[in-house]
């Protein structure tokens, strides 16, 4: 939850190191993290391993915090399940006293995602103002194949419409958050925004909390800067092959 702001354990730091090595060739343009300590440390560790953006500023945002669990915070998961059972409900839909409902968490996720979309549109506009349409040219070869999981998706998903040549993405954003929060965010993508999922994904994956440092990759297209109808493709979901 939010109320117990503990640092990463030794295992957590090892997992963050592994995620950093896994993502070391990915050239991020922005990094956002929850303002809780465990997420801050994870984001800093990932960037510390990166070949391109070690010095990129990490921006902390309270909208990325874990779900608030009220009276259940700091207690074992078995206690939360017992509370839910006593109330005649089941996890994760059960809301402990003083906690956030799933709808409230999803609203935070929606608000933050819309902020990211506005950021991307503003970047696109600045790029066009500075260089014109020609400014969005193909990148160098090392910028083309930066994603370690490219074998899990088609080349078309990572290419522009200009003859299929890969290009520098307008915004390539790393977001470091928490398991229950990310589950709500992914649910929002799928149910509200009709996100396209990988063909091998399952319903259990959608309902499961990501493993520690699990990586999910989404491509978001905003045609003509249209913030109301983002086209979202999930390339990979809760990937943990680096662990």
């Amino acid at each position: 939850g939010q109320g117990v702001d503990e640092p990463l354990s030794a295992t957590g730091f090892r997992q963050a190191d592994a995620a950093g090595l896994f993502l070391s060739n990915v050239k991020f343009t922005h990094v956002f993290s929850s303002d809780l300590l465990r997420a801050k440390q994870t984001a800093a560790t990932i960037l510390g391993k990166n070949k391109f953006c070690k010095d990129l500023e990490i921006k902390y945002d309270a909208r990325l915090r874990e779900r608030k669990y009220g009276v259940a915070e700091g207690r074992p998961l078995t206690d939360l399940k017992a509370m839910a059972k006593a109330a005649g409900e089941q996890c994760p839909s059960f809301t402990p006293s003083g906690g956030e409902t799933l709808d409230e968490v999803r609203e935070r996720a929606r608000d933050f995602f819309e902020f990211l979309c506005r950021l991307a549109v503003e970047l696109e506009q600045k790029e066009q103002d500075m260089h014109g349409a020609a400014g969005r040219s193909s990148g160098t070869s090392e910028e083309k194949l930066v994603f370690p999981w490219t074998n899990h998706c088609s080349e078309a998903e990572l290419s522009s419409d200009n003859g299929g040549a890969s290009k520098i993405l307008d915004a390539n954003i790393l977001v470091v958050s928490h398991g229950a929060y990310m589950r709500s965010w992914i649910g929002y993508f799928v149910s509200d925004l009709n996100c396209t999922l990988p063909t091998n994904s399952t319903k259990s994956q959608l309902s499961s909390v990501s493993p520690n440092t699990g990586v999910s990759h989404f491509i978001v297209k905003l045609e003509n800067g249209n913030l109301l109808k983002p086209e979202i493709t999930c390339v990979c979901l809760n990937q943990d092959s680096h662990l």
Side-chain angles (χ1 to χ4, degrees), residues 11 47 59 61 95 116 125 159 170 172 184 204 224 239:
T11 299
L47 275 197
K59 296 183 178 178
D61 198 304
T95 303
L116 290 185
Q125 188 59 52
S159 67
D170 298 311
N172 192 21
S184 289
S204 63
N224 300 316
Q239 172 145 325

Side-chain angles (χ1 to χ4, degrees), residues 17-146:
D17 278 338
L21 288 171
F22 183 63
L23 299 171
S24 61
N25 288 313
V26 181
K27 191 171 185 179
F28 297 110
T29 57
H30 302 77
V31 179
F32 291 93
S33 169
S34 157
D35 61 352
L36 297 178
L37 182 57
R38 56 193 185 274
K40 286 182 174 182
Q41 291 175 327
T42 300
T45 302
I46 290 172
L47 275 197
K49 301 285 185 184
N50 197 277
K51 295 178 181 178
F52 299 106
C53 43
K54 279 184 171 64
D55 298 324
L56 196 61
E57 180 188 2
I58 302 172
K59 296 183 178 178
Y60 304 112
D61 198 304
R63 288 174 292 184
L64 293 173
R65 287 181 181 179
E66 181 59 290
R67 182 184 180 188
K68 186 178 181 181
Y69 282 93
V71 296
E73 292 196 344
R75 296 169 65 174
L77 179 60
T78 51
D79 284 10
L80 177 64
K81 290 181 177 178
M83 290 180 193
K85 185 176 180 180
E89 298 182 43
Q90 290 184 324
C91 295
S93 56
F94 170 68
T95 303
S97 176
E100 280 182 296
T101 66
L102 291 179
D103 285 343
E104 287 171 334
V105 179
R106 184 173 292 204
E107 180 61 23
R108 277 201 284 129
R110 182 195 64 78
D111 188 57
F112 184 77
F113 176 64
E114 290 179 354
F115 157 74
L116 290 185
C117 289
R118 289 193 299 273
L119 175 69
V121 169
E122 288 168 6
L123 281 173
E124 171 77 2
Q125 188 59 52
K126 286 180 183 177
E127 186 76 14
Q128 289 183 350
D129 290 346
M130 289 173 63
H131 304 294
R136 298 170 67 233
S137 58
S138 296
T140 64
S141 59
E142 69 179 358
E143 289 173 324
K144 288 180 180 179
L145 297 174
V146 293

